[in-house]
Amino acid sequence: MSPSTSATPPLPERFRGAAVIGGTHGLGRALARTARDRGLHTVVYGRTAETLSDDGLHPRHLDLCDPHSVRDTPVDVPSPCYVLWVAGAFLKKTLADTTEDEVEQLTRLMFTGPVLFLRRLLAAVEEPVHLITVASSSAWKRRERESLYCGLKAAQATIVRNLVPELRAAHPENRITLINPGGLAVPDFHTGLALDFGAMMDPDHVARIIWDIAADQRRTFTEVQILRSREPGSEGTPEVSYGARTPQAPEEPGTATAPPAPTPHP
């Protein structure tokens, strides 16, 4: 389908607020600004949230790698509300070359920290919640030297899918949107990599698509892929499709070795 890009922001209906976990950079910041522009009281959680003080947003310091910060940061947000799980960082290394500290910090930032904080936030909000989770196409694509990053993104997508019956039982109006985006033009996310950001998706454009999808969602759960076009002349244009994807085989296409023929019984 063609991605929706509404020219006039729709009214937030009965939702009053948005809480963005990881809204200080890249797609998270674009999602927070779009929420603000759509009339939502937008609370932004992040390690450098104070830099957003002049943005019309409501910053709260949260360090997902610090258990004390995860446990003590306030979770009172305007409700009913959208809750966005966007926090993440990229790592391109073989697992053998990854340090113990890198494993621990990336896991806290991308999985255990958000899960523990989300646990507190969901328990505190009594009115309907619409959880928008930004995972990644790396959760199902074949990658090289990204095993830890891909594994954490797959874990994020899996826990959110399995939250669906819990949230549905908690309130019939609760919703979950799982977004798996492809490559975004966020240079400070891909630090040290020589990439053609001109052929990657604009985070502001993708943020508007995500909000349009969430605003139109009526089912309890929707999973969406937002991948970048590689067609000449359209490089980086977002392409939207619905539903989960089967994980790709780890081998390069065409290199998989056929299994040996079974030995006949005498």
Side-chain angles (χ1 to χ4, degrees):
M1 64 167 280
S2 298
S4 174
T5 52
S6 56
T8 303
L11 294 174
E13 299 178 346
R14 61 186 304 237
F15 283 90
R16 297 177 51 235
V20 187
I21 304 171
T24 58
H25 296 91
L27 181 59
R29 187 162 186 168
L31 286 165
R33 287 172 168 169
T34 306
R36 172 205 61 195
D37 293 344
R38 293 189 176 213
L40 294 165
H41 180 107
T42 305
V43 177
V44 177
Y45 290 99
R47 194 159 40 192
T48 58
E50 63 277 2
T51 63
L52 308 177
S53 57
D54 297 328
D55 235 359
L57 303 169
H58 303 274
R60 287 186 185 166
H61 179 83
L62 170 65
D63 185 349
L64 292 167
C65 295
D66 178 358
H68 297 288
S69 181
V70 171
R71 185 178 62 241
D72 298 334
T73 298
V75 291
D76 56 306
V77 295
S79 60
C81 74
Y82 293 95
V83 176
L84 295 89
W85 175 0
V86 199
F90 187 66
L91 181 68
K92 194 174 187 70
K93 272 189 176 184
T94 65
L95 190 60
D97 289 334
T98 305
T99 67
E100 181 177 343
D101 184 63
E102 286 173 328
V103 171
E104 182 175 348
Q105 293 302 307
L106 197 66
T107 302
R108 284 182 175 179
L109 174 64
M110 293 179 59
F111 190 72
T112 52
V115 166
L116 289 169
F117 190 73
L118 188 62
R119 169 181 167 271
R120 292 182 56 224
L121 197 152
L122 292 177
V125 178
E126 297 180 356
E127 297 187 72
V129 168
H130 188 149
L131 175 61
I132 302 172
T133 303
V134 179
S136 173
S137 61
S138 293
W140 54 267
K141 282 191 172 184
R142 185 192 73 84
R143 301 294 196 193
E144 294 183 4
R145 296 188 294 124
E146 297 179 20
S147 55
L148 180 59
Y149 174 79
C150 293
L152 292 170
K153 281 299 183 182
Q156 179 183 4
T158 298
I159 196 170
V160 166
R161 291 190 193 100
N162 285 281
L163 269 176
V164 172
E166 298 177 26
L167 288 187
R168 184 165 50 202
H171 197 291
E173 295 182 46
N174 283 345
R175 298 286 183 269
I176 292 181
T177 309
L178 172 57
I179 305 290
N180 294 309
L184 293 159
V186 183
D188 59 357
F189 183 75
H190 301 277
T191 304
L193 298 180
L195 300 174
D196 180 8
F197 292 105
M200 302 177 84
M201 297 185 294
D202 172 40
D204 291 314
H205 188 184
V206 172
R208 292 193 297 272
I209 293 171
I210 292 172
W211 275 112
D212 284 341
I213 290 169
D216 291 340
Q217 182 173 328
R218 296 297 176 264
R219 301 178 62 182
T220 302
F221 175 72
T222 296
E223 182 166 353
V224 185
Q225 315 293 329
I226 306 180
L227 307 179
R228 56 188 171 122
S229 172
R230 298 177 185 273
E231 290 293 322
S234 299
E235 297 92 338
T237 300
E239 297 180 335
V240 179
S241 61
Y242 288 80
R245 293 291 185 90
T246 302
Q248 294 177 340
E251 299 88 357
E252 286 276 11
T255 63
T257 304
T263 303
H265 290 289

